[in-house]
Amino acid sequence: MSDSILVVNAGSSSIKFKLFRIADRDLTPVLSGGITGIGSTPALKVRDGRGSVLANRRFEAGEVPDASAAQHHLADWLLHHLGDAAIVAVGHRVVHGGPTFTEPVRIDDAVLRTLETFIPLAPLHQLGNLDPIRVLRERRPDLPQVACFDTAFHRGHPELSDRFALPRFLYDEGVRRYGFHGLSYEYVAGRLREIDPDVANGRVVIAHLGSGASLCALADGRSQDTTMSFTALDGLPMGTRSGALDPGAVLHLIEHKGMSPAEVGHMLYFESGLLGLSGISNDVRTLLASDRSEAAMAIDFFCRRVAQATAALAVTLGGLDAFVFTAGIGENAPEIRRRVIAALGLTGLILSNDANGSAVAPLDGPVRIDAPESRAPIWVVPTDEELMIARHTMRLLGRSASGTA
């Protein structure tokens, strides 16, 4: 196999990877997969570039108790099938770059120590992001590794978008609105420049709707504001995360319900959002298929919050020239798209029912789903965070890449 870049996207319960072959200036995906169910029902699945299954193995829970163990198993599989020479660098999605890192960076001891200090800012993600880095540094200390940050795309915000209404010294210490999903937004913004340059140069709201969900306001392709802030808890309700919440409610849970900070944190991260609202599931597909009133209420709540947040970001931008759906729900759920746009009627956005209904992943590429009478375009743009990470890794290796997918 020719030189390749491995992209690792690790979380608390899964570790995904994609392998890109380098050919001239192009990056072509040749393998993808990962280990899911870490600590519970772990399983390894790998597919080649045509989608054929190359590996499908289940483990005992004790064999893969954490992301570190998962990376060892994944490295063993890759080493057995590819050998040492094929992979020339590894790019990692790292959720939080804090106030320090505003762009991707090559990882060394000092960078790793700094990233560890941001674990309290993203307790659900950061530790899982860093474990595979440590494993690979132990096994292949010569292999260049690059950290690409979900916060970096938003670091050009004006201070007005970064601040909380808290004392200044906290802002100076790093308590500020960072924003997340930046790699997804960066990729989608680049695709918009290719498919609709006039729109890309205007005022756009992108809706990254998945198990984690947020919105981003862009002007001329640059982030101006976003719904997530200090942590990935803020903003929209998500699969199991609460989204925006009166801080007084948190104080109430601690002071009057006797909950510890750890118990409150677990509730906000794992027991809230669509799961908490419905009491049924965190999966939009399950809720849409249910005839229970609690499921309907959870979906209505989610769609209303997306629409409300879009209107707020339109105020930041001074108008709205386009709206874009992306990520798991955004790319796969026509009914959610329909309800969100219906709730945004005051903006003049109007869906084409036919185009919307047929735009379901796997999509060959971006799909425009607005009706002719819509005041502005509505797009569904499949995101590709892994390709974005591979491109950044190539750049830091001193090689340019265009990328194919």
Side-chain angles (χ1 to χ4, degrees):
M1 178 176 286
S2 59
D3 288 352
S4 301
I5 287 177
L6 177 66
V7 172
V8 176
N9 186 343
S12 58
S13 63
S14 68
I15 178 168
K16 297 184 291 184
F17 82 91
K18 189 173 283 189
L19 189 73
F20 293 87
R21 184 177 64 243
I22 303 170
D24 297 325
R25 295 181 60 250
D26 286 337
L27 287 163
T28 303
V30 291
L31 289 177
S32 64
I35 296 179
T36 58
I38 294 172
S40 56
T41 56
L44 167 69
K45 180 169 280 190
V46 181
R47 297 179 183 271
D48 65 17
R50 296 181 298 276
S52 299
V53 176
L54 301 181
N56 191 2
R57 177 188 172 188
R58 295 193 176 276
F59 300 89
E60 296 297 325
E63 292 183 88
V64 192
D66 53 33
S68 177
Q71 182 60 53
H72 276 293
H73 284 290
L74 196 55
D76 288 342
W77 190 92
L78 290 168
L79 182 63
H80 178 72
H81 286 80
L82 304 178
D84 276 337
I87 299 173
V88 297
V90 182
H92 296 266
R93 173 179 176 250
V94 177
V95 165
H96 219 304
T100 306
F101 298 110
T102 60
E103 60 184 9
V105 63
R106 188 160 171 172
I107 298 166
D108 57 22
D109 291 341
V111 167
L112 191 55
R113 284 194 299 269
T114 302
L115 293 178
E116 288 169 347
T117 68
F118 303 145
I119 290 173
L121 302 182
L124 186 64
H125 300 93
Q126 192 85 350
L127 190 59
N129 295 160
L130 301 184
D131 278 346
I133 295 173
R134 297 190 189 96
V135 169
L136 289 169
R137 280 166 61 82
E138 291 171 3
R139 296 181 61 144
R140 287 285 306 275
D142 59 311
L143 188 64
Q145 296 192 70
V146 172
C148 300
F149 304 101
D150 257 348
T151 51
F153 184 67
H154 306 294
R155 293 292 13 100
H157 276 173
E159 185 177 337
L160 188 63
S161 295
D162 275 355
R163 289 293 298 271
F164 292 113
L166 293 171
R168 175 82 196 200
F169 77 90
L170 289 171
Y171 177 78
D172 294 336
E173 291 177 0
V175 180
R176 59 183 67 181
R177 302 185 72 254
Y178 290 100
F180 298 90
H181 292 139
L183 291 162
S184 176
Y185 291 129
E186 183 180 8
Y187 177 82
V188 173
R191 290 293 282 134
L192 277 178
R193 289 200 179 279
E194 296 169 1
I195 62 175
D196 199 339
D198 291 338
V199 160
N201 292 331
R203 302 162 297 182
V204 180
V205 170
I206 301 175
H208 178 107
L209 305 181
S211 180
S214 69
L215 303 177
C216 182
L218 295 90
D220 194 24
R222 293 178 171 273
S223 173
Q224 303 299 308
D225 204 351
T226 186
T227 53
M228 283 182 171
S229 61
F230 181 61
T231 71
L233 268 179
D234 199 11
L236 303 177
M238 299 168 239
T240 63
R241 285 174 260 170
S242 63
L245 187 69
D246 181 348
V250 176
L251 295 176
H252 173 79
L253 294 175
I254 295 172
E255 295 174 355
H256 300 290
K257 300 293 288 185
M259 297 177 68
S260 69
E263 289 171 332
V264 173
H266 189 273
M267 175 186 288
L268 298 182
Y269 274 106
F270 298 106
E271 300 174 348
S272 300
L274 293 173
L275 176 62
L277 284 165
S278 68
I280 300 170
S281 175
N282 64 327
D283 193 316
V284 162
R285 292 167 297 185
T286 300
L287 298 177
L288 286 172
S290 174
D291 59 2
R292 290 175 55 180
S293 61
E294 299 94 333
M297 183 274 296
I299 291 293
D300 288 343
F301 188 99
F302 177 76
C303 293
R304 176 187 284 187
R305 289 295 186 269
V306 173
Q308 288 175 332
T310 300
L313 291 178
V315 170
T316 297
L317 294 172
L320 188 61
D321 298 319
F323 188 87
V324 181
F325 290 98
T326 193
I329 297 172
E331 296 171 29
N332 285 281
E335 177 61 15
I336 297 296
R337 296 194 297 254
R338 186 191 68 78
R339 295 191 192 193
V340 168
I341 297 302
L344 282 168
L346 59 84
T347 65
L349 296 176
I350 303 173
L351 276 181
S352 162
N353 291 328
D354 290 342
N356 180 53
S358 62
V360 180
L363 300 172
D364 292 333
V367 179
R368 189 165 168 174
I369 60 172
D370 54 281
E373 63 270 27
S374 180
R375 194 192 139 285
I378 307 168
W379 283 94
V380 179
V381 179
T383 192
D384 196 334
E385 294 166 309
E386 287 81 11
L387 179 56
M388 201 73 249
I389 293 168
R391 288 173 176 170
H392 284 308
T393 302
M394 281 277 285
R395 179 177 57 81
L396 285 180
L397 287 178
R399 301 164 76 166
S400 59
S402 57
T404 59

